[in-house]
Amino acid sequence: MLRKFATSFRGSSCLFARQSLKRKLCAEAAAGAAIVGRDFLSLKDFTQDEIKHLLWVSSDLKARIKQNGEILRPLEGKTLGMIFEKRSTRTRVSTEVGMAVLGGHAVFLTNDDIHLGVNESLRDTANVLSNYVDVLLARVYKHSDLDELASHASIPIVNGLSEVYHPLQILADLQTLQERFGSLHGLTVSWVGDGNNVLHSLMIGCSKMGMHVRVATPDGYKPNPTVIQQAEIIGNKTGATLYLTDDPRDAVRGAQCIVTDTWISMGQEEEAKQRLKAFEGYQVTSQLCELASRDWCFLHCLPRHQEEVSDEVFYSDRSLVFPEAENRKWTVMAVLLSLIQQHCPLTTKPTF
Ligand code: CP
Ligand code: NVA
């Protein structure tokens, strides 16, 4: 695993002063230390312990800043570059605000602001920005562009969404489900919709955490075979299972969570007509949700359109879409902080 810069221990909380907690803290410190300086391109690159650590950092920041009103400034003097080739509300605002809340500064850059893709290569851009900012988040069309940036940058690169993965979204989803159910292992999550980037990260994230995933996609819109294989290999180790079908009713049976996303991702606008036809019968409705577990909930990364989920479900008390959107802020803060320097949480570790 390529580490972009040396691990540093910051803050007196990392001194492991209490002997009785030493062994436990050392295990946690190892997970935290292993994350510093890495790229965050897909959850497949992170171990279960590392994902748990990120989720713990996120819940720690949420408890201390939101509930306790603490002012934390661990990223004072640190800067983040944000390259966006596509639109964004949540990713942009949660990241920019999250960086400011932690005392750092973010610079938002679109294709209209910098030379990238017009008359400067990814390689040169990565080399230049590595000397300006401490970490770089990019939302791109081609995942290979993230790989290219990562291979040339000397700073961590964060995937803010590509056509293959959306790992920041799934960290927030995992936190939301942990908050709702008290743990993650063994939960069943159903996806009804397109075999897209959000589903790919959901498959990887859930399989890492020992959760079962049941997917309904129409023929021709199945998830990427490589990602299916990755999820199955991970699941063999964690006890997670993956079930694929083209029947939404079959997919939601027994599920604690039903998830969907737009049927027309950014960049697919020209396929809108044929996609709307292909996804007929895939709307998440109250009737469909009756087949799920009695304690079912609903997630959607947003933005949402009425064709993929009825108002009745989307605005129901089972819908966690707005807490989920809020958790985008705490989880991206956890990722940025943990890539830049080690953070030792002070609050109790959640159960996963
Ligand atoms: N869910 C999500 O990534 O939303 P944005 O496109 O608004 O960032
Ligand atoms: N699948 C959607 C997610 C948006 C957050 C897209 O790629 O446009």
Side-chain angles (χ1 to χ4, degrees):
M1 204 72 60
L2 185 65
R3 183 191 291 284
K4 299 292 180 70
F5 44 77
T7 305
S8 66
F9 285 79
R10 295 271 295 265
S12 57
S13 59
C14 287
L15 294 176
F16 312 122
R18 294 177 197 184
Q19 285 300 317
S20 60
L21 288 176
K22 192 170 176 183
R23 194 169 302 162
K24 218 168 148 189
L25 286 177
C26 282
E28 282 309 325
I35 297 169
V36 178
R38 298 245 299 272
D39 297 311
F40 186 83
L41 302 185
S42 166
L43 291 173
K44 76 178 159 51
D45 304 329
F46 291 80
T47 65
Q48 186 184 82
D49 280 346
E50 289 165 355
I51 294 171
K52 286 179 181 175
H53 185 81
L54 288 171
L55 292 170
W56 186 17
V57 173
S58 181
S59 72
D60 185 68
L61 294 174
K62 188 173 181 179
R64 290 167 62 189
I65 297 171
K66 185 179 178 185
Q67 276 136 40
N68 300 354
E70 279 185 56
I71 293 171
L72 304 177
R73 288 281 185 264
L75 295 186
E76 204 148 2
K78 301 292 183 186
T79 49
L80 164 74
M82 301 167 64
I83 294 177
F84 277 70
E85 292 183 351
K86 306 178 189 175
R87 294 181 306 273
S88 170
T89 299
R90 280 142 290 273
T91 308
R92 180 196 174 162
V93 180
S94 63
T95 306
E96 214 168 308
V97 169
M99 193 68 187
V101 168
L102 293 175
H105 183 76
V107 184
F108 181 71
L109 307 161
T110 71
N111 284 355
D112 293 333
D113 303 309
I114 55 173
H115 292 289
L116 180 65
V118 183
N119 69 349
E120 190 154 35
S121 68
L122 286 158
R123 179 180 182 163
D124 294 354
T125 304
N127 275 310
V128 170
L129 293 183
S130 291
N131 291 318
Y132 293 158
V133 297
D134 297 286
V135 56
L136 182 63
L137 179 143
R139 169 167 285 199
V140 296
Y141 282 98
K142 291 189 288 174
H143 190 83
S144 57
D145 285 356
L146 289 171
D147 290 331
E148 173 103 9
L149 281 172
S151 72
H152 295 293
S154 59
I155 52 170
I157 302 296
V158 177
N159 181 358
L161 181 135
S162 69
E163 91 283 24
V164 188
Y165 296 116
H166 196 4
L168 287 172
Q169 180 63 52
I170 298 314
L171 263 194
D173 291 8
L174 292 175
Q175 178 168 4
T176 309
L177 291 176
Q178 196 285 330
E179 289 170 347
R180 165 56 65 112
F181 292 102
S183 69
L184 295 173
H185 196 272
L187 289 180
T188 298
V189 174
S190 293
W191 176 275
V192 178
D194 188 19
N196 67 13
N197 42 13
V198 176
L199 171 61
H200 292 157
S201 284
L202 184 76
M203 287 161 53
I204 299 291
C206 289
S207 58
K208 286 272 178 183
M209 302 308 287
M211 299 159 72
H212 310 296
V213 182
R214 298 173 68 82
V215 176
T217 51
D219 214 23
Y221 296 92
K222 289 188 172 26
N224 181 318
T226 307
V227 181
I228 294 175
Q229 200 184 20
Q230 287 167 0
E232 286 174 343
I233 291 170
I234 298 164
N236 289 338
K237 289 192 198 136
T238 62
T241 58
L242 176 65
Y243 177 75
L244 303 172
T245 175
D246 61 4
D247 179 0
R249 292 169 62 84
D250 187 16
V252 303
R253 269 197 195 95
Q256 273 91 26
C257 181
I258 300 171
V259 194
T260 193
D261 180 20
T262 181
W263 297 340
I264 305 154
S265 286
M266 287 180 277
Q268 297 173 336
E269 289 80 3
E270 284 180 7
E271 301 169 31
K273 209 169 151 196
Q274 83 199 51
R275 282 179 164 268
L276 288 173
K277 187 156 176 45
F279 286 92
E280 269 172 22
Y282 278 74
Q283 190 192 43
V284 176
T285 60
S286 299
Q287 204 183 10
L288 184 69
C289 296
E290 278 171 18
L291 299 169
S293 174
R294 285 176 59 171
D295 55 354
W296 70 274
C297 65
F298 175 75
L299 293 180
H300 191 307
C301 64
L302 311 179
R304 169 257 179 172
H305 315 83
Q306 206 160 21
E307 62 259 18
E308 70 253 9
V309 54
S310 69
D311 275 357
E312 203 182 359
V313 171
F314 187 78
Y315 292 111
S316 73
D317 59 4
R318 300 303 186 100
S319 174
L320 302 179
V321 297
F322 298 116
E324 176 189 13
E326 178 192 338
N327 283 337
R328 289 295 311 272
K329 184 173 85 168
W330 304 110
T331 44
V332 76
M333 287 163 71
V335 168
L336 296 172
L337 179 54
S338 302
L339 296 180
I340 292 176
Q341 65 197 39
Q342 190 168 5
H343 173 79
C344 291
L346 298 181
T347 50
T348 310
K349 187 176 185 179
T351 49
F352 294 105

